[in-house]
Amino acid sequence: MSFCFNFDISGQANAFPEVDGNKVQSGSKDDGAKYAEVDDDLPAGPVKEAKEHLPPSDPEFLLTDGVFETITIGTLPPLHFLNETVFERTASEREDREKILSHREEKNSDLISGVYEGGLKVWECTYDILEIMEKEGETFSGKTVLDLGCGAGLLGILALKRGARQILFQDYNSTVIEQLTVPNVILNCEEDDEVEGDGEKKGKGKEKKQEDGCVEKGKEDLKSGSPPPKKRATDLSKHPLMRKCLFYSGDWRTFLPLVLKKEPQPKFDIIFTSETIYNTCYYPALHETLHKLLGPSGLVYLATKSHYFGVGGGLHLFETFVEQRGVFSLDHLWDGAEGLQRHVVVLRFKKQNDN
């Protein structure tokens, strides 16, 4: 399997002059300490305000003419999501106050730093976390879960379908939340209703059937047209699964204070974050968000590539950053050895005697 990355980070090339990734990679104590101080001197550049999104009471328009795919991994429940290619082709028909769809087409880029942070694409490492969840047999029963940098929301949707008590979906772009995350959650809520009546079709393994008969590892087609009538709710806001979900967009620096205004302040048993450490400039805000929102015995599952060429971030730099902060321990759950190496790590709070 080969991957192609298209990044445009010129917009923030000098937005964070305090961060020097080369110094962190050198591993010296002094350089690491300097890097750890970045959080106390946030950049003066533009900050995207966070906001909460309420799901529509009539979601039919979000599913009309949608083309969906399904991924099945082992014993995990099937997860449904909008087809990315069709989504791109119908971009002009979608509401996009941020203009990220047109910017993405104009730049021909999967990521435009500070404008569009890649949420419309299901990145490879998402599947790695799903496989880890299947292997560990996590049921999520009664737990609170944060899908941070959620994009399509597959990780949060898995937790929702496996009994989580509350799931919060967060992405940088409001267009991603409104046009991709919410529709995907709606689709899976509707499918859950259908399962109750027809019995669940469980998949073993994972593959995507394409029209030409080829098989692509990772996903399986669900529907090549509009969703069937059973998938069209009249008042989904009252659906028992949807009531467990919260949706937020915005910069982590504004998302965190906004969500902390809730009473009681949320603490999450599990935080998922996949392919969010590609830019070292974001490490302070990400670390602070994890620090403030993770429950005392909670776990952060982070999936990443070893290095993000053209952007500068990667696992080694983030490990160094975490070590210098001294808040979390970090353990490797899985390390891929082939191609562009990928990893899944878990973070947890250090015990007092570990400090």
Side-chain angles (χ1 to χ4, degrees):
M1 184 183 293
S2 62
F3 305 124
C4 178
F5 309 102
N6 233 344
F7 296 145
D8 182 346
I9 60 171
S10 58
Q12 286 194 341
N14 299 311
F16 297 78
E18 298 87 354
V19 177
D20 187 340
N22 293 327
K23 292 182 178 180
V24 179
Q25 196 162 12
S26 70
S28 73
K29 184 175 180 181
D30 291 342
D31 291 336
K34 291 179 182 178
Y35 187 56
E37 293 173 0
V38 173
D39 189 41
D40 298 324
D41 188 13
L42 290 175
V47 176
K48 189 175 185 62
E49 289 301 320
K51 65 178 180 178
E52 183 174 5
H53 298 258
L54 300 179
S57 59
D58 182 5
E60 184 173 340
F61 71 96
L62 292 175
L63 301 181
T64 301
D65 298 325
V67 176
F68 306 100
E69 297 178 16
T70 295
I71 177 171
T72 57
I73 296 179
T75 58
L76 297 183
L79 305 175
H80 311 306
F81 59 101
L82 280 167
N83 177 280
E84 178 186 346
T85 302
V86 176
F87 190 95
E88 291 176 345
R89 290 175 181 172
T90 58
S92 61
E93 305 169 12
R94 300 179 181 277
E95 185 175 354
D96 179 20
R97 290 184 294 272
E98 298 174 301
K99 305 298 182 186
I100 66 169
L101 299 173
S102 58
H103 282 308
R104 185 189 187 206
E105 183 177 0
E106 178 185 338
K107 295 280 189 179
N108 189 29
S109 176
D110 291 323
L111 188 151
I112 308 170
S113 192
V115 177
Y116 163 63
E117 297 292 346
L120 296 176
K121 183 181 178 70
V122 180
W123 296 89
E124 296 77 23
C125 290
T126 297
Y127 302 118
D128 298 333
I129 292 186
L130 289 173
E131 292 196 358
I132 290 291
M133 293 298 99
E134 198 272 339
K135 180 180 178 181
E136 294 192 347
E138 174 62 62
T139 64
F140 302 98
S141 180
K143 294 183 178 180
T144 54
V145 176
L146 169 61
D147 192 347
L148 193 66
C150 63
L154 294 182
L155 301 174
I157 290 170
L158 171 64
L160 177 67
K161 299 184 77 168
R162 280 211 153 181
R165 175 165 55 89
Q166 185 179 67
I167 304 93
L168 191 154
F169 296 87
Q170 181 277 336
D171 196 87
Y172 183 83
N173 292 107
S174 60
T175 299
V176 171
I177 291 291
E178 294 171 351
Q179 298 294 326
L180 184 62
T181 313
V182 171
N184 285 345
V185 174
I186 288 171
L187 179 64
N188 283 272
C189 287
E190 291 298 313
E191 188 267 349
D192 185 71
D193 285 343
E194 186 175 351
V195 163
E196 289 181 4
D198 300 338
E200 182 174 357
K201 178 182 178 182
K202 293 185 178 180
K204 198 71 177 175
K206 52 185 190 307
E207 63 180 24
K208 175 185 175 181
K209 276 281 195 180
Q210 296 181 313
E211 291 182 1
D212 59 6
C214 299
V215 175
E216 176 186 337
K217 182 180 178 183
K219 295 166 283 184
E220 180 183 1
D221 276 346
L222 169 65
K223 187 71 178 176
S224 58
S226 300
K230 285 186 178 181
K231 290 184 172 16
R232 298 185 183 223
T234 55
D235 191 356
L236 200 78
S237 62
K238 295 181 180 179
H239 192 287
L241 290 183
M242 185 60 80
R243 287 201 298 265
K244 296 181 177 182
C245 300
L246 299 171
F247 302 92
Y248 283 81
S249 66
D251 192 303
W252 289 327
R253 290 169 288 173
T254 56
F255 160 70
L256 179 59
L258 177 60
V259 78
L260 287 178
K261 290 180 180 179
K262 283 191 168 290
E263 293 293 344
Q265 289 189 351
K267 292 289 184 181
F268 294 95
D269 300 304
I270 293 176
I271 298 178
F272 289 124
T273 189
S274 178
E275 309 233 32
T276 53
I277 62 170
Y278 52 85
N279 192 331
T280 58
C281 302
Y282 301 157
Y283 290 3
L286 174 59
H287 189 280
E288 181 72 2
T289 300
L290 300 178
H291 187 185
K292 296 297 185 182
L293 295 183
L294 186 66
S297 301
L299 298 174
V300 177
Y301 291 97
L302 184 150
T304 181
K305 297 181 177 69
S306 294
H307 184 74
Y308 290 88
F309 298 97
V311 190
L315 182 57
H316 174 71
L317 295 176
F318 188 71
E319 281 185 295
T320 302
F321 183 87
V322 169
E323 181 181 356
Q324 292 296 329
R325 288 303 174 93
V327 173
F328 297 109
S329 63
L330 187 153
D331 299 299
H332 287 234
L333 294 179
W334 176 80
D335 299 292
E338 298 180 359
L340 184 57
Q341 293 183 347
R342 307 196 305 272
H343 310 268
V344 178
V345 300
V346 61
L347 285 76
R348 53 173 61 86
F349 285 117
K350 283 188 172 183
K351 298 177 181 178
Q352 289 187 349
N353 57 7
D354 290 339
N355 295 328

